[in-house]
Each structure stands twice: as C-alpha cells, then as structure tokens.
Amino acid sequence: MKMIFRWYGKNNDSVLLNHINQIPGTDGVAWALHDKQPGEVWNQPEIQETVEGIRSYGLHAEVVESVNIHEDIKLGLPSRVEYIEKYVQTIRNLASAGVKVICYNFMPVFDWIRTDLHKELEDGSTALFYENNKIQHITPEALIKKITKNPEFTMPGWEPERLDQIQTLIDQYKNITEEDLWEHLRYFLEKVIPVCEECDIRMAIHPDDPPWSVFGLPRIISSRKDLQRLVGLVDSEYNGLTLCSGALGAHPENNIPAMIHEFKDRIHFAHVRNVRRYDNGDFIETSHRAADGSVDIVKVIQAYHEIGYEGYIRPDHGRHLWGENCRPGYGLYDRALGIMYMLGIWDTLEKGGYKQ
Ligand code: DNO
C-alpha cells in the first residue's frame, strides 16, 4: 500500500508539507485546488504549480481529493453536457501532471455531515460528532449557521457563501428519486471513464457520509449492494472506489473487511478511520485504535494485506489533540498517530505476524 496524507494547500491548512514528510512511511499527499468551484476547469499551469510545490518536499502528488461534481450533473440538467466537458478537460490536465487517482463523490448538495465539530471525548480531546436526533429536527440552514460561526471551521459543501443557494438546491432535488440519481451517475461515468482509460487515471467514488439519506435528499453509495451496482454501471477497472471505513462504518451492517475482499480490484484509494456507534444512530470519531471504536481497524488493515493492496491509503479524520488549532478532523497529530498504527499492523503482517 502507498501511504499518503490529505493536505489542503498552503493557504488553507495548518499542516505544512514539511510536517507531512516527517511522518514515517508517508510518500505523498491527496491534494486539490481548493479555490475551484465545481464546474470550473483546472488549468495546467495552476495544477503544475501545486504539483511542483508538493514534489519539492519529496512527496508525490498522484492522488487528487476531490474534483467536485457540479450539481447540474447530479440533477441531470441539460447543462450537464457542458459541465462534463469541463470535467473531462480537468481529467486530461491532471493526467498530464502525473495524477493517477481522482476521488469524487455523488452526494447531492452536501458532502459529509456532522452536528458538532468539537465534541469532547473522555480524555479531553475533541472530535467530530453526529447526533441523529438533531439532524431530524433541524433545517440545513440552521445547522450551517450553527457550525459556521467560526468561518475557518466549515465542512465541504457547507461553505457560508452557499447558504443562499441551499434551499433552492434542496427544492431542485424534490423530484429526483434514487433511481434518477443512479441514471445521472451512469450518464456521467459513461462519458468520463473512456477518457480515464485513455489517460490512465482512475476514478474513485467516495461513499455517502453518513451512509443514509439526510434532509430528504437521495443518497445512493451507502452499502455493499450500492457498491456492487456502482462497479457494474461501467465495467472498467477505471470506475472504482474510495473505500472509507469511517463513512461506511457508521452503519452497523457495513462489514468493511468483507467489502475490501469483494471489491479488491476496484479499490483505488482507502480512507481509514474509526467511529464509535451508538444504538440511537449517533456516532463519534475516535482514534484509529480498534479498541476505541466500533470498526476493527486491525481487521481492516489485515484485509488490505490479504488482498495484497497496492493502492493509495490515508488516515482519515482524526481527533483534535494537545490544543491543536486545525481544520476540524484534519489536524496533524491524531492522523500521524493513525499512520503509525496502520503501519504497525501492516509491518507486523509483512513479517508473518507476531510470533512469541
Ligand atoms: C471527508 C472526506 C470527504 C471526501 C469527499 C470526496 O473528510 O473524506 O470530504 O473528500 O467526499 O469527494
């Protein structure tokens, strides 16, 4: 496996490239042009500048997370034709800079959703928390206002400048069923996968987070059945997955090690993190350690080892530790600890397991 670290760029991240290259076993970053709006072409010079900046620290820039998809594509509007052309241009530009994997998602309106970005854990650290009951009793607008009191602390898809459009977007989805969303995803993939094959760049869809419908919006990448359907939409290895143990792991029926075995040829990017689930549907993000959450991360890494995983992997969200001031879920310390935990398991397996 190839260990990487998510980096939000020199203007948007408290973590520096020089911090990342000090984490053992970490060779690259998952990056993006974070100032780009969905639907804008990423031009070669700006891609090149970022890629060269990353490489100057001895890190590779082979994974992009994410090139976001314009809502008109997800809604299946006539303007999707133009937005898909732009997406294709971005794919070509990224491929010419040596990018190998593009992570994306097909969640309507919002990306990941939490109700508290700094929920205190027993040890005094804080972490991202999802309270099911709150989501059922709060409007998206009220939730956005609550969590964006500090403008630095937003979630992707929840930017304050989008506030005005949120209601309009939600209304636009009122007549879109899950089946419609599947058809729109198929349409998109049928256009982009042939280009990916031509330029050797793999698409890796990120599952829904949380893996169920929120605010009445359709969500379709939440379970094993959904992943089976996704890989069948366009039968090409270039149509693949970002298998996120935390996003999928919030649902007790999702067996992550079994998914790793079943979809082994289509996993191009692995996100690893732990969550502690509660019976009422709430969950909190914990350290990576198996004992701290509901997902057995030892078994997750063991499954990657069993399939001989050679793709990219990164620690996903971490807790906020030792007074760190960082993007929610994206501090340096807990994610670096997560890497050492994963590599510890992996290296032990490489040596044939622990023997007394
Ligand atoms: C959350 C991330 C997601 C992911 C996107 C991919 O922290 O895993 O925001 O990057 O869903 O498009």
Side-chain angles (χ1 to χ4, degrees), residues 129-356:
F129 178 61
Y130 177 89
E131 189 176 342
N132 208 18
N133 192 34
K134 270 201 186 143
I135 291 291
Q136 283 157 12
H137 297 110
I138 196 169
T139 62
E141 293 85 348
L143 185 57
I144 295 170
K145 277 193 188 131
K146 178 173 175 285
I147 62 180
T148 52
K149 268 188 251 147
N150 181 342
E152 279 171 40
F153 288 171
T154 62
M155 299 188 274
W158 292 81
E159 295 76 11
E161 49 293 0
R162 275 182 101 208
L163 205 56
D164 299 345
Q165 313 158 23
I166 298 285
Q167 194 53 54
T168 319
L169 277 172
I170 290 180
D171 289 344
Q172 280 181 294
Y173 276 99
K174 288 232 162 86
N175 298 321
I176 304 288
T177 63
E178 287 187 1
E179 280 311 306
D180 294 330
L181 198 57
W182 275 113
E183 272 319 303
H184 301 162
L185 178 55
R186 176 202 301 281
Y187 181 95
F188 169 73
L189 289 171
E190 281 175 351
K191 300 279 186 265
V192 301
I193 295 300
V195 180
C196 293
E197 288 173 340
E198 191 192 308
C199 35
D200 192 28
I201 192 165
R202 288 167 168 73
M203 295 296 288
I205 197 166
H206 190 284
D208 305 329
D209 185 359
W212 50 77
S213 167
V214 279
F215 304 127
L217 294 164
R219 285 191 156 194
I220 56 174
I221 310 292
S222 300
S223 66
R224 170 183 175 224
K225 254 177 59 206
D226 296 341
L227 299 184
Q228 282 170 335
R229 186 164 176 185
L230 179 273
V231 297
L233 281 185
V234 174
D235 190 16
S236 160
E237 65 164 291
Y238 288 83
N239 170 28
L241 310 172
T242 297
L243 200 98
C244 179
S245 70
L248 291 164
H251 199 296
E253 278 168 27
N254 286 334
N255 178 336
I256 313 297
M259 288 174 171
I260 294 169
H261 280 282
E262 181 168 356
F263 301 107
K264 60 179 181 212
D265 300 328
R266 296 291 186 94
I267 303 173
H268 304 317
F269 192 15
H271 282 185
V272 178
R273 73 178 152 87
N274 210 341
V275 283
R276 190 189 301 153
R277 296 185 297 260
Y278 297 95
D279 290 344
N280 60 4
D282 296 356
F283 60 86
I284 189 153
E285 302 191 358
T286 62
S287 90
H288 282 71
R289 193 167 183 231
D292 289 343
S294 308
V295 183
D296 190 334
I297 299 296
V298 177
K299 291 209 172 115
V300 168
I301 299 296
Q302 190 177 25
Y304 281 118
H305 193 261
E306 281 161 359
I307 66 165
Y309 185 60
E310 289 182 348
Y312 302 93
I313 187 164
R314 74 164 176 85
D316 202 5
H317 305 156
R319 301 162 300 150
H320 319 111
L321 304 183
W322 308 321
E324 188 176 20
N325 189 10
C326 57
R327 300 180 72 93
Y330 283 98
L332 173 63
Y333 307 135
D334 206 32
R335 289 189 295 152
L337 292 176
I339 287 186
M340 290 316 291
Y341 187 68
M342 291 191 264
L343 290 179
I345 299 164
W346 184 271
D347 289 352
T348 306
L349 294 168
E350 282 289 279
K351 290 185 191 302
Y354 178 73
K355 295 197 183 72
Q356 287 200 320

Side-chain angles (χ1 to χ4, degrees), residues 70-130:
H70 196 278
E71 295 295 335
D72 289 10
I73 298 177
K74 297 182 225 167
L75 285 161
L77 299 179
S79 46
R80 69 180 160 177
V81 173
E82 176 199 331
Y83 287 119
I84 292 175
E85 274 168 20
K86 291 186 171 163
Y87 204 97
V88 161
Q89 190 55 53
T90 297
I91 293 176
R92 291 191 190 283
N93 293 348
L94 288 171
S96 67
V99 170
K100 297 290 176 208
V101 169
I102 295 176
C103 173
Y104 72 105
N105 73 76
F106 218 71
M107 291 178 248
V109 192
F110 306 110
D111 195 324
W112 50 284
I113 291 177
R114 301 289 183 273
T115 52
D116 191 340
L117 302 180
H118 292 97
K119 174 91 170 170
E120 199 165 311
L121 283 151
E122 304 80 1
D123 58 9
S125 61
T126 65
L128 307 179
F129 178 61
Y130 177 89

